[in-house]
Amino acid sequence: MSFEKAGDIIRDAYKNKYGVASFNIFNYETIKFAIDAAEQAEKPVLVQLYPGFQSYISFEITAEITKLFASKIKVPVGLHLDHCHDTDMLRHAMRAGFLSVMYDGSRLPFDENIKNTREVAKIAKEFGADVEAELGNIGSAANVDEYTDKSKFTNPDDALKLYNETGIFSLAVAVGNAHGNYAVLPNLDFERIKTISDKLKTPLVLHGGSGIPDDQLREAVKCGIAKINVATEYFHAFYKSVGEYINNGGNREDIFSCMKAAQKNTNDFLVEKINVLN
Ligand code: 13P
């Protein structure tokens, strides 16, 4: 049985200075492929669901599938709820078994972010769950300004204040990262990661893990990042595999063969990403 609280997996990563990949999933296959890859790499993994996707695969089903796959392998597997703004949804997810949740108040005024995050941390405590908060602007990778303008990055003193006043477990930081396909190569601010890490002494989270060069990912982990979120690159690998299968004469009407083809190439990507971080 290897299903574990995501927080415990992240805690171990932080203590032992490695990174854990947290892959966004949205169906049976994406959960299965991520957990199969962890088994192959013999390293822990997290799967996370983005709010909205539960209209396709419910929190309950996601948790049950994840736990079942995890029960068959030896390495730890954890479950996390990504970017959530809604306390009813957070409660629902925690009740279903998501014992790690992100409350994203980064778009709110600072004091409101603190107030709401504190409230969520209090609710999470009732469930024995860990909370990831966000501070700074982690925008879209299509807009260069969003990840090069340092005034949008996480302020280390504010990060410490938010940490001290809320009861969160981990913090997602804006340090030159953004979500989606980077228009230009990102250039992470390692000094800032290190400063925040030294102040908070708690695991930091890197969103927008797709398209960041491996050497930067490794350096970020050395500076205090323990959880790295990856969605865009995973989904690309999935679509590319299916596309290649069909373009090479595969039968597009044979969904079973399409999914088997998706698994093969996607698996290479997942194993490699897990290994780069750990
Ligand atoms: P990417 O889609 O850029 O990998 O970002 C994923 C993420 O940070 C999810 O929270």
Side-chain angles (χ1 to χ4, degrees), residues 24 48 82-83 178-180 207-210 229-233:
N24 284 75
Q48 60 184 16
D82 206 7
H83 294 278
H179 295 105
H207 282 239
S210 297
N229 291 3
V230 179
T232 304
E233 245 184 326

Side-chain angles (χ1 to χ4, degrees), residues 22 24 48 50 80 82-83 102 132 134 138-139 141 177-182 205-211 227-235:
S22 194
N24 284 75
Q48 60 184 16
Y50 189 85
H80 173 81
D82 206 7
H83 294 278
M102 175 184 197
E132 174 186 325
E134 179 171 319
I138 307 175
N177 49 321
H179 295 105
N181 292 308
Y182 288 98
V205 179
L206 188 71
H207 282 239
S210 297
K227 169 177 179 271
I228 297 90
N229 291 3
V230 179
T232 304
E233 245 184 326
Y234 183 15
F235 300 164

Side-chain angles (χ1 to χ4, degrees), residues 82-156:
D82 206 7
H83 294 278
C84 191
H85 306 96
D86 180 287
T87 46
D88 287 342
M89 194 191 288
L90 284 159
R91 279 183 200 278
H92 182 170
M94 289 189 272
R95 221 175 282 123
F98 286 68
L99 294 183
S100 176
V101 293
M102 175 184 197
Y103 172 72
D104 179 3
S106 61
R107 298 295 156 113
L108 300 172
F110 183 49
D111 288 344
E112 215 175 313
N113 188 1
I114 290 186
K115 182 172 152 285
N116 293 4
T117 303
R118 187 191 300 128
E119 186 60 31
V120 168
K122 218 160 78 189
I123 298 168
K125 213 166 166 196
E126 293 166 25
F127 291 86
D130 297 297
V131 175
E132 174 186 325
E134 179 171 319
L135 186 65
N137 177 71
I138 307 175
S140 161
N143 306 323
V144 179
D145 194 44
E146 303 243 28
Y147 53 102
T148 53
D149 176 355
K150 297 210 170 192
S151 72
K152 297 182 195 284
F153 288 12
T154 305
N155 176 295

